[in-house]
Amino acid sequence: MATWKGKSRGTLLGFRIYVQIIKKTGLYSAYFVLLFVAAYFILFSFTSTKSTYYLFRKRLGYSPLSSALNVYWSYFTFGRIQLDRVAITSGLKHKFSFEFDGIEHIENLLEQKKGGILLTAHIGNFNLAKHFFEEKHSEAVVNLVITDFEHRQIKDYLESVTGRSEVRTIVLKEDLSHIFKMKEALSRNELLVFAADRYLKHSKTYKAEFLGEMVKFPQGPFKLAARNKIPVLFVHLMREKNFHYHFYARPYVPKEFKASEILKAYLDDLEKMVKKYPHQWYNYYDYWNDFS
């Protein structure tokens, strides 16, 4: 798997333009502009286009023509989800509906008073999860564990437009200070959220099969849960038709509380999500070393 550099796609200028379009002409106008932006990425972002084509063609078994068309739709969906994030947090939340599937699992986790680990991926729109916790679990404190490279400028700009999120962040640091912050959060019965489908260079990894091919995954989240017997949920927030978002929460039910077993259960869950929502999994690089 080609090493992820720790940055997500998107530019500050792009976000500024979309915010202004939404404010001046509305969400549908922004979607319309996105039709052309998605076409631009097809032509001028060769590596991510090729990687996404391989996802549909080699991993999901689509035909060559269908794979090509779905690359475009993947770009469009990614952009639309970013626009939804701006719109929902800028006063247009009433245009969207939310479905909470598995709410009882979060309630059960909080009642155990051990903290909890929520394993998600670079899929769907988990940035909107704060609305779930604000409405359904206002007492829950959520810490999103992120890299130090995840576009600080864009995050700061979005917060200036939409307001600061109730979801806290713990930044992964070379001096390992994040480990102490995570342990402190868990001791306060707080939740840690990891997007566990990518690893950074020099990270310790496991190798496991995902969509028919071996891939490396970070050891950290799985070892942390296994060593300390911390309750684990697999969570995703997915966009569906008619401005509808579906929040999934599924518990890890241990046979043996081993890191390898948690990883296997996580990948089983993630594979189902990718197959159900193939346009909402956003790893725009050579994930399986298909052409490197």
Side-chain angles (χ1 to χ4, degrees), residues 42 52 56 62 65-75 278-279:
I42 287 282
T52 308
F56 287 101
Y62 288 36
L65 177 60
S66 180
S67 295
L69 293 173
N70 279 287
V71 171
Y72 174 83
W73 193 246
S74 176
Y75 282 145
H279 307 101

Side-chain angles (χ1 to χ4, degrees), residues 20 26 50 56 74 99 103 117 142 158 204 206:
Q20 291 307 311
K50 192 173 182 180
F56 287 101
S74 176
E99 177 180 352
I103 185 172
I117 290 179
V142 182
L158 283 175
K204 293 183 178 180
Y206 292 119

Side-chain angles (χ1 to χ4, degrees), residues 93-213:
K93 185 179 176 182
H94 61 279
K95 290 184 175 290
F96 296 81
S97 59
F98 294 85
E99 177 180 352
F100 307 116
D101 183 353
I103 185 172
E104 69 278 7
H105 302 307
I106 293 180
E107 292 170 348
N108 292 340
L109 183 150
L110 292 171
E111 287 172 0
Q112 295 181 51
K113 304 294 184 184
K114 296 180 179 179
I117 290 179
L118 309 186
L119 296 178
T120 185
H122 292 84
I123 190 171
N125 200 354
F126 200 80
N127 284 313
L128 292 178
K130 73 168 191 172
H131 298 283
F132 170 83
F133 289 102
E134 286 169 356
E135 290 183 11
K136 301 294 182 180
H137 292 288
S138 58
E139 77 281 7
V141 178
V142 182
N143 298 271
L144 187 62
V145 182
I146 61 172
T147 74
D148 202 11
F149 301 97
E150 301 232 72
H151 283 215
R152 171 60 55 182
Q153 279 188 309
I154 292 175
K155 180 178 182 294
D156 290 344
Y157 175 65
L158 283 175
E159 287 184 350
S160 74
V161 174
T162 64
R164 190 165 295 276
S165 171
E166 293 299 318
V167 176
R168 301 177 181 179
T169 57
I170 295 177
V171 179
L172 298 173
K173 298 284 190 179
E174 289 187 6
D175 63 5
L176 303 181
S177 58
H178 57 274
I179 294 175
F180 300 102
K181 291 182 179 179
M182 288 190 287
K183 288 183 177 179
E184 289 172 1
L186 291 169
S187 70
R188 295 190 296 265
N189 197 32
E190 296 178 7
L191 307 178
L192 302 179
V193 181
F194 295 88
D197 56 336
R198 294 180 187 171
Y199 72 96
L200 285 168
K201 189 177 181 180
H202 305 309
S203 299
K204 293 183 178 180
T205 59
Y206 292 119
K207 213 167 187 183
E209 184 175 313
F210 179 56
L211 290 173
E213 191 66 47

